[in-house]
Amino acid sequence: MIRINHLTDIDTIPAERLQALLGSAEQYLQTPKTCPTFPNAQMATLFYENSTRTRLSFQLASQRLNMPSLALDSHYSSVQKGESIEDTAANLVAMGINILVIRHPDSDAPQRLLDVVGKQAAIINAGSGTASHPTQALLDVLTILQHKRSLEALTIAIIGDILHSRVARSQIVLLHKLGVQSIRLIAPNALLPAEVASLPVDVYTDMTKGLQQTDVAICLRIQKERMPPSLFPDVQAYREQFGLTPEKCQLLKPDAIIMHPGPMNRGVEIDSAVADGAQSVILEQARNGVALRMAVLASAAEHLH
Ligand code: CP
């Protein structure tokens, strides 16, 4: 039996396959005109949460691979009549869809699809609850590797709302798996997850200490939609302590790069002067997202029955 190449989280994927996806994405960037085509693959995107970058980059990626695709619009679909994601997926697979890309507020949504249709279709996680966003973590590493020769010796700081960040969770697992020795989390105690002590990270609640000698600073969006107002009472106080301002950037290594998965709260976790400044690679992350998702879709399509 052929094994289907799912991508539901980083934990379950061997480092060699993750490296292969990064290499394949870099190839798509270097030689965009030599793409394979996959007319037998049929992708559907199922986005139950809002998205700009991830949703459109999966659509662009499928177009560039000549892979037929369609998008379920959850506002106008039978989701509104109460249909479960399992029933939705089973019906799409019955119609011939064999790659399902899902974004959902439930952390276990990709696994639930895997349980129901995982033998017939590749399941790709485009962001699940607060648990996992594997393609974002991969495109972030792709971007870092374009600026830094190797990962192992880097000091990488992830800053801000770690508690609600599926991006941070996937980044930590991926960076650790790929050999990064120094991963720092910089956040107020209230925005750190309970499991932080068991993670392979160093924790800083003082940003001026955490940023020193850092090669890569990754700012995270404050996810107000996932927290009670009491958890985030004062925007200005947050910006002063944990926002990346031009002054705080002076603490980084001179050749440090600055990242943000988007969307950004300008003037909260990152100032515009930093987001649009010379060290920012934020739009490169968006560009790399298309190539990385091409690699993920191609890898899934190559292993379909
Ligand atoms: N980074 C990210 O997932 O952005 P979107 O929510 O716009 O897809």
Side-chain angles (χ1 to χ4, degrees), residues 68-133:
S69 70
L70 48 84
L72 179 88
D73 187 332
S74 60
H75 291 105
Y76 292 99
S77 74
S78 289
V79 171
Q80 296 300 332
K81 301 174 199 163
E83 189 167 39
S84 69
I85 55 169
E86 287 89 343
D87 283 342
T88 304
N91 279 270
L92 292 179
V93 170
M95 293 179 205
I97 298 294
N98 50 21
I99 300 179
L100 288 166
V101 178
I102 180 155
R103 168 169 290 195
H104 199 278
D106 293 347
S107 294
D108 65 351
Q111 183 59 48
R112 283 159 54 196
L113 295 199
L114 208 55
D115 293 343
V116 176
V117 293
K119 290 196 168 69
Q120 298 131 284
I123 310 301
I124 296 171
N125 182 353
S128 54
T130 56
S132 184
H133 195 349

Side-chain angles (χ1 to χ4, degrees), residues 45 47 50-60 101-103 125-127 133 135-136 139 166 261-262 289 293:
T45 52
F47 275 59
N50 294 345
S51 168
T52 296
R53 281 148 290 273
T54 313
R55 188 168 61 89
L56 293 184
S57 61
F58 268 112
Q59 287 173 3
L60 273 170
V101 178
I102 180 155
R103 168 169 290 195
N125 182 353
H133 195 349
T135 59
Q136 179 70 47
L139 75 88
R166 55 194 174 208
R293 286 164 182 134

Side-chain angles (χ1 to χ4, degrees), residues 18-30 135-148 151 174-175 178 257 259 281 284-295:
L18 298 168
Q19 296 278 17
L21 288 172
L22 292 167
S24 168
E26 190 56 44
Q27 279 293 316
Y28 286 128
L29 287 166
Q30 299 294 332
T135 59
Q136 179 70 47
L138 281 161
L139 75 88
D140 292 339
V141 167
L142 180 66
T143 308
I144 294 169
L145 286 171
Q146 289 165 351
H147 289 269
K148 306 287 172 192
L151 292 173
L174 180 60
L175 293 170
L178 297 181
I257 58 170
M259 306 176 72
V281 297
E284 293 172 39
Q285 290 173 263
R287 179 199 63 168
N288 289 336
V290 180
L292 187 280
R293 286 164 182 134
M294 287 172 75

Side-chain angles (χ1 to χ4, degrees), residues 6-279:
H6 306 287
L7 181 56
T8 54
D9 58 29
I10 297 288
D11 310 55
T12 54
I13 311 289
E16 304 77 57
R17 188 178 156 219
L18 298 168
Q19 296 278 17
L21 288 172
L22 292 167
S24 168
E26 190 56 44
Q27 279 293 316
Y28 286 128
L29 287 166
Q30 299 294 332
T31 52
K33 295 217 163 82
T34 57
C35 292
T37 61
F38 298 100
N40 295 329
Q42 295 265 328
M43 178 191 85
T45 52
L46 287 69
F47 275 59
Y48 293 78
E49 277 187 350
N50 294 345
S51 168
T52 296
R53 281 148 290 273
T54 313
R55 188 168 61 89
L56 293 184
S57 61
F58 268 112
Q59 287 173 3
L60 273 170
S62 70
Q63 278 177 17
R64 291 183 189 170
L65 294 169
N66 197 25
M67 181 185 290
S69 70
L70 48 84
L72 179 88
D73 187 332
S74 60
H75 291 105
Y76 292 99
S77 74
S78 289
V79 171
Q80 296 300 332
K81 301 174 199 163
E83 189 167 39
S84 69
I85 55 169
E86 287 89 343
D87 283 342
T88 304
N91 279 270
L92 292 179
V93 170
M95 293 179 205
I97 298 294
N98 50 21
I99 300 179
L100 288 166
V101 178
I102 180 155
R103 168 169 290 195
H104 199 278
D106 293 347
S107 294
D108 65 351
Q111 183 59 48
R112 283 159 54 196
L113 295 199
L114 208 55
D115 293 343
V116 176
V117 293
K119 290 196 168 69
Q120 298 131 284
I123 310 301
I124 296 171
N125 182 353
S128 54
T130 56
S132 184
H133 195 349
T135 59
Q136 179 70 47
L138 281 161
L139 75 88
D140 292 339
V141 167
L142 180 66
T143 308
I144 294 169
L145 286 171
Q146 289 165 351
H147 289 269
K148 306 287 172 192
R149 221 168 271 152
S150 73
L151 292 173
E152 286 83 353
L154 296 178
T155 294
I156 300 182
I158 306 173
I159 308 155
D161 185 0
I162 317 281
L163 179 63
H164 301 101
S165 180
R166 55 194 174 208
V167 174
R169 282 182 180 74
S170 287
Q171 283 170 340
I172 293 164
V173 178
L174 180 60
L175 293 170
H176 183 62
K177 222 167 188 173
L178 297 181
V180 177
Q181 299 294 315
S182 176
I183 307 170
R184 297 179 179 176
L185 302 185
I186 307 176
N189 280 317
L191 295 179
L192 286 166
E195 75 271 18
V196 73
S198 65
L199 298 174
V201 297
D202 299 309
V203 176
Y204 293 81
T205 52
D206 179 344
M207 197 163 173
T208 56
K209 290 190 180 137
L211 289 181
Q212 281 172 24
Q213 291 304 305
T214 291
D215 298 282
V216 179
I218 305 174
C219 299
L220 296 175
R221 181 172 71 88
I222 287 289
Q223 300 194 36
K224 279 191 176 171
E225 74 278 18
R226 296 191 204 271
M227 62 175 87
S230 58
L231 206 55
F232 193 72
D234 188 338
V235 171
Q236 199 50 37
Y238 182 85
R239 177 186 169 271
E240 274 166 30
Q241 283 188 61
F242 294 99
L244 196 57
T245 59
E247 297 73 35
K248 292 200 200 91
C249 285
Q250 300 296 322
L251 300 165
L252 302 167
K253 284 190 182 168
D255 63 348
I257 58 170
I258 291 159
M259 306 176 72
H260 193 304
M264 291 182 279
N265 295 306
R266 288 172 181 262
V268 182
E269 71 264 3
I270 189 166
D271 275 16
S272 284
V274 177
D276 304 329
Q279 288 171 282

